[in-house]
Amino acid sequence: MCKRRVSFGVLALLLVLSVVAGGGVRRVSSQNNVAGAPAAAIRVTPPAPLFDAQARVAELAARRARVANETGKQSLVVFFSGEPRVYTNDVDYEFRQENNLYYLTGLLQERATLVLIPGHTTTREILFIPRRNPAAETWTGHMYSPEEARSLSGIGEIWEAREFEPFMSAIRARRAYRPKDESILLSSVPPLTPSPTPATAAATPSATAAPGTPQNAGGYEALFGAMAQKSGSLYLLIPGGEGDNREFRQEQAFASRWAQSSSGLTVRDAWPILMEMRLRKSPSELQLLQHAVDITTEALGRAMAVAARSKWEYEVEAEVDYTFKRRHADNWGYPSIVGCGTNATTLHYEESAGAVGASDLLLMDVGAEYGHYTADVTRTFPVGGKFTAAQADIYNAVLAAQEASMATARPGNTFADVNRASVEVIKDALLRLGLITDRNSFQYARWFMHGTSHWLGMNVHDVGALNTKFEPGMVFTVEPGIYIRPDALDNLPKTEEWRKFAEAVRPAFEKYKGIGVRIEDDVVITTEGHRNLTAALPRTLADVENFMARAVREFRAGN
């Protein structure tokens, strides 16, 4: 149960070294290693990206500087680390750092807190982390030393975690605060002279300070002056305001406590600032996303190869889990969906407990997470390697819808354009196949009941407004689907209109009943249009069938 507390740069380096040393051995025919031999069907994950340490730290610093600029000099900004989650009794889930703190620091440390003080004259950022404890590390693994935290984040002012509350209490009282030397783990700032006390905090303000500012504000003149005028701001991550939020409960509790004080700082939400920043991915973020996609691509390729020899869905899912671990993914970005036959018609089917039928379609929606960025990819394929005529009808309808949506993935468009393109094609297909009777109604939603796209990044459903116009660097999914649930006609509204609908589509329904198809790819907007991050996976019916035939042969030869 040891927790990992190393940076993604270290993880990437270890992965590359393991591949170079022979740790990433292909399970395909040895003839694919011969010069001039055809490329293997199952695409082995390329080496992980490596990042220049200085460039990485500079990018993190630039992100923090942007937050500081957006919030202004009369503000204080606080970011908490993620909270450990209890699995059962004294066993925690594996710790995962809160996305925004990681986005700004690159640190995986529990109980870390980042404070930005944009208006301070010398110390504009402070990192609070636990002091290393050899006894604790014996049980839970390595903790960051101050030097490691600075090297990874670029933050030079590091205080012991227990100093956060005294620091905030001093801020509330408009009193400059600096811990005793033993609680300052790392600093390049000289001690305050003289050290401020409650007495000096109430001293007469200087001629240049705002009214109400203590004479010895220790560099906090802008913040304390604003507080004196009741115009200061305390920024926290509180999406949804005071409502219950499963992810940001500690921030909401902290905001509630602070709001009850008369500090002169108004609690404001930092979420819109981080949402806007994270929406456009930098080149380094795109490299991490691409590697997550590459791991997922190999996992899906291997799973497609083993499906025909598997009896149960969990056997196929095990190939995905194995590949994720083998390629050093952090984890999955969401629980894998592996649904065969009628299980494919349940959108978020996660049990993976059904039988694998040789004549069925298998829908797999999986995504590796790497360096805090997750892929999200779906492929639907015939277990036996060949689509039946009915399966091909549905598959080609979904593929045509996806192609239409892909054509709209370009700067200036929105999710509404992407979704509309899929809906129009699916309406035509469903009408042609006899599964709807009125193209200009919402009948199609019985078989295609979800949106076509969502943002992708550090979350599988990442931050960003749905009406945002596409710009280069934005990443999202394109995933139309058709799901003919076996009980769909039994659960229609009890009206004459729907009775007539059920009667009219019954013959087609019986033909396609139990078929579920979704095809999902991850795209990034470019200046010219888009780039498909998941292009290495086959999508067309012919390509899927050809891949299945080759992958099964190669996998058998390599095992």
Side-chain angles (χ1 to χ4, degrees):
M1 297 191 299
C2 293
K3 300 176 177 66
R4 291 175 289 179
R5 293 189 174 93
V6 293
S7 74
F8 67 76
V10 175
L11 292 177
L13 177 59
L14 290 175
L15 178 57
V16 172
L17 291 176
S18 70
V19 172
V20 171
V25 180
R26 300 185 186 188
R27 290 201 173 189
V28 296
S29 172
S30 59
Q31 69 178 3
N32 292 315
N33 295 323
V34 178
I42 301 173
R43 183 175 183 268
V44 175
T45 305
L50 288 174
F51 300 94
D52 176 80
Q54 280 189 312
R56 178 181 56 78
V57 168
E59 182 169 359
L60 294 172
R63 292 171 183 173
R64 296 193 297 271
R66 179 172 172 184
V67 173
N69 184 62
E70 294 279 349
T71 54
K73 293 185 176 182
Q74 298 181 333
S75 70
L76 189 73
V77 193
V78 178
F79 294 95
F80 295 114
S81 66
E83 297 180 276
R85 307 292 181 180
V86 175
Y87 173 72
T88 178
N89 194 23
D90 62 348
V91 179
D92 289 344
Y93 284 100
E94 185 174 358
F95 177 73
R96 185 182 187 279
Q97 185 61 279
E98 195 280 317
N99 281 331
N100 298 284
L101 182 68
Y102 187 80
Y103 181 77
L104 296 172
T105 67
L107 300 176
L108 300 175
Q109 180 69 57
E110 295 179 32
R111 293 179 56 217
T113 303
L114 173 65
V115 174
L116 303 181
I117 318 160
H120 199 281
T121 54
T122 57
T123 307
R124 293 185 175 85
E125 50 189 22
I126 304 171
L127 176 66
F128 296 83
I129 62 172
R131 183 186 295 275
R132 290 188 66 183
N133 183 331
E137 290 186 42
T138 298
W139 290 90
T140 58
H142 180 71
M143 299 170 64
Y144 290 132
S145 69
E147 292 76 18
E148 288 170 327
R150 177 176 60 184
S151 175
L152 292 167
S153 68
I155 299 172
E157 191 71 22
I158 302 178
W159 297 357
E160 193 172 347
R162 65 184 181 181
E163 295 294 338
F164 174 71
E165 288 298 338
F167 168 79
M168 293 302 297
S169 295
I171 293 295
R172 184 183 287 110
R174 281 184 279 149
R175 175 169 50 87
Y177 179 83
R178 189 170 181 81
K180 294 181 180 179
D181 289 347
E182 59 265 26
S183 294
I184 299 175
L185 305 182
L186 201 65
S187 178
S188 58
V189 179
L192 293 170
T193 305
S195 179
T197 64
T200 60
T204 304
S206 66
T208 58
T213 305
Q215 186 175 28
N216 191 344
Y220 291 89
E221 286 80 6
L223 179 64
F224 290 169
M227 293 171 66
Q229 301 301 312
K230 306 295 184 183
S231 60
S233 299
L234 171 62
Y235 280 89
L236 299 162
L237 290 170
I238 45 174
E242 297 179 358
D244 185 36
N245 186 298
R246 293 183 298 174
E247 188 172 1
F248 296 101
R249 286 176 178 169
Q250 64 177 332
E251 286 83 355
Q252 289 179 318
F254 188 84
S256 178
R257 292 195 303 271
W258 193 274
Q260 295 171 10
S261 68
S262 55
S263 64
L265 288 178
T266 300
V267 175
R268 302 187 189 280
D269 187 11
W271 184 258
I273 297 171
L274 272 297
M275 181 179 70
E276 180 70 14
M277 291 173 61
R278 285 172 49 191
L279 188 55
R280 296 161 186 81
K281 307 300 187 287
S282 70
S284 66
E285 290 179 279
L286 291 175
Q287 284 182 276
L288 292 168
L289 265 169
Q290 183 64 68
H291 193 63
V293 166
D294 290 340
I295 296 172
T296 307
T297 295
E298 181 180 355
L300 278 170
R302 293 177 62 89
M304 292 168 75
V306 303
R309 70 176 70 175
S310 303
K311 294 182 179 180
W312 302 98
E313 293 163 344
Y314 56 76
E315 297 178 66
V316 185
E317 183 177 0
E319 198 64 37
V320 172
D321 295 340
Y322 166 71
T323 307
F324 285 1
K325 287 293 185 183
R326 187 187 192 197
R327 300 307 178 201
H328 217 166
D330 301 341
N331 205 331
W332 39 250
Y334 54 94
S336 295
I337 297 169
V338 182
C340 193
T342 58
N343 288 336
T345 66
T346 298
L347 301 185
H348 287 173
Y349 172 77
E350 296 174 359
E351 289 83 353
S352 300
V356 174
S359 61
D360 288 333
L361 292 181
L362 182 59
L363 185 154
M364 299 190 66
D365 186 338
V366 302
E369 179 181 287
Y370 184 83
H372 249 64
Y373 290 81
T374 183
D376 183 7
V377 190
T378 305
R379 287 295 183 267
T380 308
F381 56 92
V383 173
K386 293 287 185 181
F387 289 89
T388 67
Q391 291 168 350
D393 285 344
I394 301 298
Y395 190 90
N396 282 328
V398 174
L399 179 64
Q402 192 195 37
E403 292 286 3
S405 284
M406 289 280 205
T408 69
R410 58 179 183 268
N413 281 345
T414 66
F415 282 161
D417 300 304
V418 176
N419 190 65
R420 188 181 306 110
S422 272
V423 167
E424 293 305 308
V425 172
I426 284 178
K427 282 181 178 180
D428 288 337
L430 293 175
L431 186 63
R432 184 177 65 254
L433 297 175
L435 286 164
I436 62 173
T437 62
D438 182 0
R439 189 192 181 286
N440 297 317
S441 72
F442 284 97
Q443 291 178 0
Y444 78 91
R446 287 291 155 183
W447 317 118
F448 175 34
M449 64 289 293
H450 60 79
T452 309
S453 297
H454 58 77
W455 300 115
L456 187 66
M458 302 184 91
N459 287 339
V460 65
H461 296 140
D462 208 36
V463 297
L466 296 180
N467 62 351
T468 301
K469 290 187 177 181
F470 299 152
E471 295 178 13
M474 296 181 179
V475 180
F476 55 90
T477 65
V478 182
E479 51 175 312
I482 294 177
Y483 315 89
I484 315 301
R485 291 185 59 79
D487 61 351
L489 297 187
D490 299 330
N491 297 303
L492 295 173
K494 306 302 181 182
T495 66
E496 181 64 14
E497 179 183 0
W498 283 109
R499 187 194 67 78
K500 290 180 179 179
F501 167 81
E503 182 178 340
V505 304
R506 177 71 66 177
F509 172 76
E510 293 298 331
K511 178 179 179 180
Y512 298 113
K513 181 172 62 176
I515 296 176
V517 174
R518 180 165 65 253
I519 309 171
E520 178 180 21
D521 286 85
D522 304 336
V523 302
V524 56
I525 294 297
T526 64
T527 54
E528 296 80 17
H530 72 270
R531 176 165 57 89
N532 186 356
L533 302 175
T534 41
L537 273 171
R539 287 192 304 130
T540 69
L541 186 147
D543 285 346
V544 169
E545 290 185 339
N546 179 60
F547 174 87
M548 293 287 293
R550 294 180 58 209
V552 168
R553 289 196 303 268
E554 291 172 1
F555 198 90
R556 285 175 178 166
N559 275 340

